[in-house]
Amino acid sequence: GVAGVEYVPLSRIADGKIESATAVLLHSLAYLPRAAQRRLRPHQLILCLGSADRAVDSTLAADLGLRLVHVDTSRAEEIADTVMALILGLLRRTHLLSRHALSASGWLGSLQPLCRGMRRCRGMVLGIVGRSVSARYLASRS
């Protein structure tokens, strides 16, 4: 009941689901039809799980103005845990809090402005493209 997780087969990718996803997981960006590739947005987290040709995916991502993360699939549970941690970290802005804690200004006094912009997961959609073992583990975690 915290976030929506939906599996969308490539045959239904044209139904507009990709635009509403906060994060998109797929085997390879090259597998998406060109029209769906163009609908991806720079603010989305795009994860390629076990892509066979990272160079092709990286070139496509650069052409589309996307930031892409490649994930090795030899350890499916660890991948799912890491992906979920990355998604939650980005939503909750823990990277900014961590950086601030290590800075000279410290925690007290200026922490509240950093908390603005933190997002709740409730109501968000996580798009998982594919049915790999790591994608299924991620779906169960989310």
Side-chain angles (χ1 to χ4, degrees), residues 56-113:
V56 169
D57 285 329
S58 297
T59 301
L60 273 172
D63 290 347
L64 296 166
L66 302 172
R67 283 194 235 168
L68 185 69
V69 177
H70 288 279
V71 182
D72 181 18
T73 60
S74 63
R75 304 187 77 119
E77 286 194 70
E78 289 80 0
I79 289 167
D81 292 342
T82 302
V83 169
M84 184 54 65
L86 288 169
I87 291 168
L88 292 172
L90 287 170
L91 290 172
R92 302 303 295 166
R93 299 172 55 129
T94 55
H95 60 292
L96 296 176
L97 294 173
S98 176
R99 188 175 348 155
H100 183 70
L102 297 173
S103 72
S105 60
W107 278 98
L108 299 175
S110 60
L111 181 64
Q112 192 170 11

